[in-house]
Amino acid sequence: MEEQRLSEFHHVVSQNRTLSSKALTIALSLITNPFTSHSTLSSLLDTLILCLQNPASNDTNHHHHVISLVSASFPPPPPTSAITFSLPSTADPFADENLFLSLCFGQSVISRRFLLRNVSKFCVKPSLLLTVLLGFTKDPYPNIREVALDGLVELSNCIVVEDQSLIEGCYFRAVELLFDCEDSVRRSAVCAVSEWGRLLVASNQDQSKKEWSDTVFVQLCSMVRDMDMKLRVVAFDALGKIRMVSEDILLQTLSKKALPATKEKTYCGQLTAKLLTLPASGAAFAFVHGLEDEFHEVRRSACRSLCMLTAVSAEFASEAVNILMDMLNDDSVVVRLQALETIHFMAISDHLKVEEAHLHMFLGTLLDRSDSIRSAARNTLQSIKLQNLAMFRLGIDALMKNLEFYPQDEADLFLVIFKLGRTHGKFVGSIIREVFQELEPSFEGKLAFDNARTVALLVLAISVPVSFERKICTVPPQTFSYAVTQLGRISRGLFDVVNQNTLLAYLSHCSRFSLVSASEFFKGEEPALQLDKSDVLLCQKSNDTSEAHLTSPLLDCLANLHDRVTSCVKIVLRKISDIWRLIELGCMGEVIQTLRSWKEELSKFTSDSPQTVGVLAFALQYIQVIKLLGKVWTRIFSSRNLRYHGMGVLEVLLGKIDKILQDMWYRFIGLSKDEELHLLEIMLLSCVLRLSYLETCNFEASLKKICTISFRVENLCKEEAIELSSFILDLQKLLCEIGNSGDGVFENIYLLQKSLKCFSLRQIVLSGEIKHLEAELNVRDNNFQNPLPFISGLPVGIPFEIMLYNLTSEKRLWLTMSVDGMSTQFVFLDLHEFEGCDEIRKFTFVAPFYGTPRVTYFSLKVCIAMECLSEDVQLFKDYEDPKPELSFLCKEIEVHLSTPVN
Amino acid sequence: MAIECLVLGAGQEVGKSCVVVTINDKKIMFDCGMHMGYLDHRRYPDFSLISKSGDFNNSLTCIVVTHFHLDHIGALPYFTEVCGYNGPIYMTYPTKALAPLMLEDYRKVMVDRRGEEEQFSYEQILECMKKVTAVDLKQTVQVDKDLQIRAYYAGHVLGAAMFYARVGDVAIVYTGDYNMTPDRHLGAAQIDKLQLDLVITESTYATTYRDSKYAREREFLKAVHKCVAGGGKVLIPTFALGRAQELCMLLDDYWERMNLKVPIYFSAGLTVQANMYYKMLINWTSQKVKDTYATRNAFDFKHVCSFDRSLINAPGPCVLFATPGMISGGFSLEVFKQWAPYEGNLVTLPGYCVAGTVGHRLMSAKTPAHINIDQDTQIDMRCQIHQLSFSPHTDAKGILDLVKFLSPKHVILVHGEKPKMATLKEKMQSEMGIQCFDPANNETVSIPSTHYVKAVASDALLQSSLSPNLKFLRKCSERGSDFGGLDARTKPRLKVFDDRMAEGILMVQRNQNIEAVHQNEVVAMLGLESHEIKFANCCPVYIANSETRNVVLSQSTVDKSFWLRLLFEKLSSKFPETSIQDCGERLQIESFSVSVCSKEICPHRTTANLQCMPETMYFCCTWSTADEKLAWEIISVIKSLSLRDK
């Protein structure tokens, strides 16, 4: 039906190239039918436009019909945006204008409205257009007045008007229409007043410019009490656009009573439809009205323009802050958010002066339910300057509360605390002093390192050295080392400011200096640092964009000075001796958590140089040993029913310890005497533990082992004068006594148990050059789905790709191959046969496996093991079987073999 | 034609609002309240002034009640049931729903507590309510053929409305009590821009300028939060309707935001019932309530828990809303007795307490103090006191803003105190130029009203008024374009006119309809000729060079155009902005036209004799009145020409 009508229309039109009444009827019927498709409509429109362009039809009446048809088809969203209304016939450039004018001044209101609405689509001279639009603001039809004003607004943006009186004319005409009866006209008039007011201000100079700007401002203020909500929004938006307003007028907008400064002033404008003078007091309370409005749209708009205007006057800003703080109590989230943004803006434009009374309301937003509000509040807080310690404390307390109620904000909070601390360095010092006990690992209660509050306080503390008031601050340096224990957590928060490695370097640097404050130290300590004031005063007044890079130069500098990994390991190892006390107290939960976090930190480092690989591996294993020891210790000394429970567990633990210690002893080379002694001491401890609590029945054999180790210790001491720990001395004495006396086993065990009391973990200091013996083993292209072929019963050769690190050719390596963990076959790897240096050796080795089982498929577990050759064991070459003590150098791999099918 | 306003109550006082407005024989009574301060005949408006005979049904067209407060509705049952008024009564739906509650409550208090003789019975209240027609917001009600009324939202209390009434061409607005700033549960007053002859507005706070509501809210929340954080109990004595909901909403919101878990209780009674009405009448509440209505009814308070008496002495902090507001007895007094002796507790007081109530005594007391509840009981009061300053009335700025927005021709102030009203009246007249009255009770104010006369428009006028007819008038710039010159009273230099209406002429002929015709028609209609006034001046210019003159004069016909061209150049340089048309024989500038006069005797010459002077050229000028100023400027230019060229 639709298509039928359309084709009929086209037919009629094509006959005489103009629209007959019949064609018009058809077109109208199509347009008014709401079910007409877009394609039909656009086709129809195209034809209509063609008719308009037809030079033959110069009858305006005819055009009116067409235009009203076109405009009638506008309300539904038609594809008209594609249509350009270039109506002119080709010859005469003024034809467009003439047609436009004749249509405008015709009798049809619809087409007039349509033309004015789409004014930008016609090529009409701006000067002419301006006159026409200005004229039509007098039209008796409100919708024409409205579109004329809209047109003027549009025009004001794209033309330059030099005639002052013309601008004035437009402006005052718009002012008149501010008091129109129609809401929509008033709304458009507000826009027009705003825009033409802007032109008016721009066309004046100096003093009169200022006067005009005030005039426009007050004029717009008179509209904020209109009953139309949208109008109020527009009015406030317009107010926010004004860039120049006298301070007394701005202040008037916050006061209901006429201020003395504005009492007598009048401007050129209209207060009501009849009153043709505009008193300055017309601006009274404008902003407060807006902020109190019933509609959140208006409140938000008012808040936003307030934001813009606070930049104009500091005094206004300080007044406005009172009511803005109240806006934080608004029930609408968008308004609260805007209020926070406004406060933030004021803070960064340095027009914010927060008093203690405000802070209560402001800090309340940190506990807001909405995430975005809390985030905005924190964002604002970090740029606020808090006047005194009490206020700063309030702020920190509120942040802590935020952390307590909404732990999910942690990362962001840390950043804010850090920044806040940096800008308020001198307050941080006194706060940290107060809460220092909380930070110290306490021995009565539990260590609270994992407590979010503690971490937050640590963050606060570590912000001091980079603060502006560095000189005054005093934060105990151990705080920095405590902070290291929470490195991951903290660095997640401070991600924007500094990366983890740099942070670590920074912390370890600061923590090194006792007594002297870290900040003081930056200057004197290392000449290489060359940190004079200009370097350290990195943080210029907070400006978010630059802030990201602020601290980095300093910290990067630190990072370059130290090998990051080694320093990190050193810090961790140093801390471990502190941990021992906790173990003694039985706080195993905390210890395990702390150790685990350290391990995580360390394992994040990627191994880039052979030295660091060794150090890292050593540290990791060391931590593991301490952890296991701690578990044993608490099991023995804290649980009362040890005799009946947990012996099995104890055995497993001690077994693990022995294994790791042995590994450490044999697989690390380049250990210093100190380090060796340390390891031996732990070995002794482990043995004594085993002897006195586990293997009491096997006393003699165990004692022998202790003696062996003790002998090693003595050997070490012979070469160099090393101070032995009280535990070793005590033990040596004891061993002599046991050897000499004929006391019973139980007395001896008691004595040994007593000697354990002397043990305390010493700090291990790494000399640095530790190498880790390691191997990598791989069989190429072998997996479950892609097995190697074999024939059962016959030997099979397996091609291994082997990488060896730090293994000298003297080391005796074996390939251990086992099926189902039952029978193990050893193949000797003679390192002399393979190329490569000691540091790294890479080769392929085809190892024969003899005992292939009688199955179609089996898997072989292969590993590289090293004979543990201690000095006291006689060396002899043997390619048959390895010595019983083996240390595995790599992870066990699985080799899949299967008989080939056919 | 005039509007008669008879103020029966609330004239220069607060209480028994009642204004009877007469427009074109229609008598409308706005509000029918009682005065709470009197117990004698002064309690009710003097209805006898409406009709001596007491035949109110014939003398009154209708009664319009704005809201359910007793000083606006208290006398209604008396008027209908005792005085016998049977005509139509209009009020909004919520008012109709809540009014019986208020009236019955009042009746009970009067009869039961004070043992007074009852003015009307409960049955009479119900009977009265049956006569009421409920209206909705912005619903236009045609009371009779001529009278229209329409309700607009007024804020103040639930269901409060301003009423617009129109009889023929006369339109007035009676505001009742209203609030121009929204609170948590009710919106701000909202009205259309209307053409009004009269606005009758309340003026309770005629001289008060209230500060931002946020400060009040903040103080309140701070006090309450501090109290409950310290483990104290908060007693909020309130009136059942309005304030309780507002405060509770404020608290509920705050609780929600701050994640507080302290219980809030509502004591039973009227409040619960009132809450139910609030929930039902959501359309009458604030925008915020309406916005959230889809997800949650804001009056379903999240943190309000059910209350029973045993909880009064339960340990731990809580907030309790209890009636009555002024702690004059009842439940709030009971709780007060229990809680007052403890320092951690808090009691809030409403902004206004009647003398004689416990609340009134508390207002002046300083803690700790001994408060006498009655002769026998004395309380050692140690709790904190917080005074609320919430008010549902608009302040002076609000009144002025409303009047400014409506821009009526006249204003009558009622419902306020006399000296304050006088101040506001002065202000309104001086600042806005609106005539303002503040009549006392039983006074009548008469105001001239608009009266429109219908005229028939002629076809030609209609036709011409369809097409725009724009005119721009540019004032000649006498002053420079600096601001200093543009005094506040100067009109802009460029003005726009659309003359399509101005072309109409009103014809009032005897025994005929009044007719508006187009000016072109008038001449024909009246059978007259049209005349145009023109000015003319023949302006002499002395030719200095006689040789030229001779040549010129001898060949006069040839060189007329030469002189004109000369003049054209001169004028073009003098008046660069104006367009000058060269029409060959003459020059045309607007309506000014100039040509070379070759007549021997020209009547337009002003020189002693009209004869042609030797050695002189004559330019003959004509113009119409509109361009007189321009004309003289041009002539002065011509005169100053001295043709010595060539």
Side-chain angles (χ1 to χ4, degrees), chain B residues 468-534:
Chain B
N469 184 6
L470 305 177
K471 272 205 183 122
F472 295 89
L473 182 70
R474 187 192 288 263
K475 274 197 193 172
C476 284
S477 53
E478 290 152 10
R479 303 186 185 96
S481 63
D482 60 329
F483 188 88
L486 216 135
D487 180 62
R489 275 147 292 277
T490 348
K491 295 241 175 79
R493 277 167 279 163
L494 184 74
K495 294 220 83 169
V496 195
F497 297 96
D498 190 342
D499 277 345
R500 60 182 105 167
M501 284 304 159
E503 284 170 342
I505 287 169
L506 199 66
M507 305 270 293
V508 187
Q509 283 170 302
R510 201 170 295 163
N511 302 329
Q512 270 185 22
N513 283 335
I514 302 164
E515 199 179 7
V517 295
H518 194 264
Q519 57 188 14
N520 297 347
E521 290 176 287
V522 179
V523 181
M525 276 177 77
L526 300 179
L528 300 170
E529 281 174 44
S530 71
H531 297 276
E532 196 184 357
I533 300 172
K534 278 209 161 192

Side-chain angles (χ1 to χ4, degrees), chain A residues 366-367 400-409, chain B residues 258-259:
Chain A
L366 284 173
L367 298 182
M400 293 297 172
K401 269 224 178 85
N402 179 355
L403 187 61
E404 186 185 329
F405 287 120
Y406 303 97
Q408 64 267 36
D409 293 349
Chain B
M258 294 296 150
N259 235 337

Side-chain angles (χ1 to χ4, degrees), chain A residues 107 112 138-139 165 168 186 212 222 225 227 256 275 291-292 294-295 326 329 331 369, chain B residues 187-188 190 193 210 212-214 218 253 257 259 287 395 401 404 431 463 474 483 496 500:
Chain A
Q107 293 182 350
R112 198 182 309 152
K138 267 283 191 205
D139 202 281
S165 63
E168 270 173 34
R186 290 205 302 276
W212 274 116
S222 72
R225 285 295 263 169
M227 291 287 179
K256 219 172 217 181
L275 292 177
L291 294 174
E292 283 185 346
E294 187 178 354
F295 294 85
D326 288 326
N329 194 24
D331 46 48
R369 274 208 163 203
Chain B
Q190 218 276 325
K193 207 158 177 121
R210 230 175 300 132
S212 153
K213 65 173 179 174
Y214 291 119
R218 181 183 50 200
D253 237 37
R257 241 170 328 110
N259 235 337
Q287 193 58 36
D395 66 352
D401 281 337
K404 189 186 131 212
E431 283 186 11
Q463 200 67 33
R474 187 192 288 263
F483 188 88
V496 195
R500 60 182 105 167

Side-chain angles (χ1 to χ4, degrees), chain B residues 369-642:
Chain B
H370 294 283
I371 298 289
N372 294 313
I373 303 292
D374 48 49
Q375 288 101 330
D376 311 325
T377 340
Q378 192 187 47
I379 284 189
D380 176 24
M381 185 189 71
R382 290 171 179 280
C383 63
Q384 309 293 312
I385 301 289
H386 179 83
Q387 208 154 346
L388 298 173
S389 50
F390 293 80
S391 170
H393 289 278
T394 186
D395 66 352
K397 175 85 162 59
I399 299 170
L400 289 169
D401 281 337
L402 181 78
V403 170
K404 189 186 131 212
F405 179 75
L406 291 175
S407 294
K409 296 197 180 79
H410 308 273
V411 172
I412 292 180
L413 300 176
V414 292
H415 201 281
E417 290 158 40
K418 188 179 176 185
K420 293 182 181 175
M421 285 163 90
T423 317
L424 185 66
K425 175 181 150 187
E426 275 308 305
K427 204 172 170 70
M428 221 172 260
Q429 282 178 342
S430 64
E431 283 186 11
M432 282 193 269
I434 295 174
Q435 207 177 0
C436 189
F437 306 88
D438 57 341
N441 275 349
N442 302 337
E443 272 183 18
T444 304
V445 177
S446 184
I447 285 163
S449 69
T450 323
H451 181 63
Y452 297 107
V453 179
K454 276 185 187 146
V456 183
S458 74
D459 288 345
L461 181 64
L462 278 178
Q463 200 67 33
S464 84
S465 62
L466 279 176
S467 306
N469 184 6
L470 305 177
K471 272 205 183 122
F472 295 89
L473 182 70
R474 187 192 288 263
K475 274 197 193 172
C476 284
S477 53
E478 290 152 10
R479 303 186 185 96
S481 63
D482 60 329
F483 188 88
L486 216 135
D487 180 62
R489 275 147 292 277
T490 348
K491 295 241 175 79
R493 277 167 279 163
L494 184 74
K495 294 220 83 169
V496 195
F497 297 96
D498 190 342
D499 277 345
R500 60 182 105 167
M501 284 304 159
E503 284 170 342
I505 287 169
L506 199 66
M507 305 270 293
V508 187
Q509 283 170 302
R510 201 170 295 163
N511 302 329
Q512 270 185 22
N513 283 335
I514 302 164
E515 199 179 7
V517 295
H518 194 264
Q519 57 188 14
N520 297 347
E521 290 176 287
V522 179
V523 181
M525 276 177 77
L526 300 179
L528 300 170
E529 281 174 44
S530 71
H531 297 276
E532 196 184 357
I533 300 172
K534 278 209 161 192
F535 297 88
N537 187 338
C538 199
C539 179
V541 177
Y542 176 73
I543 302 173
N545 193 329
S546 56
E547 238 179 83
T548 328
R549 184 179 60 97
N550 289 335
V551 173
V552 168
L553 289 181
S554 58
Q555 306 171 337
S556 57
T557 45
V558 181
D559 270 85
K560 263 184 188 171
S561 60
F562 165 75
W563 293 113
L564 274 180
R565 235 178 294 128
L566 210 63
L567 183 62
F568 181 80
E569 279 166 23
K570 207 81 188 171
L571 286 177
S572 301
S573 63
K574 282 274 176 186
F575 303 94
E577 286 171 31
T578 35
S579 72
I580 304 167
Q581 288 167 350
D582 190 351
C583 308
E585 284 290 293
R586 58 194 170 85
L587 294 181
Q588 187 81 35
I589 307 160
E590 310 276 325
S591 67
F592 182 92
S593 108
V594 57
S595 55
V596 175
C597 186
S598 49
K599 286 181 208 155
E600 282 296 311
I601 298 171
C602 182
H604 306 316
R605 282 179 201 149
T606 48
T607 31
N609 57 358
L610 303 174
Q611 297 276 322
C612 183
M613 294 284 285
E615 300 181 350
T616 307
M617 277 292 301
Y618 288 93
F619 289 105
C620 207
C621 313
T622 60
W623 65 90
S624 61
T625 32
D627 295 308
E628 197 177 351
K629 203 166 179 181
L630 176 76
W632 286 112
E633 278 177 37
I634 297 171
I635 287 172
S636 69
V637 171
I638 297 174
K639 277 185 172 168
S640 67
L641 278 176
S642 46

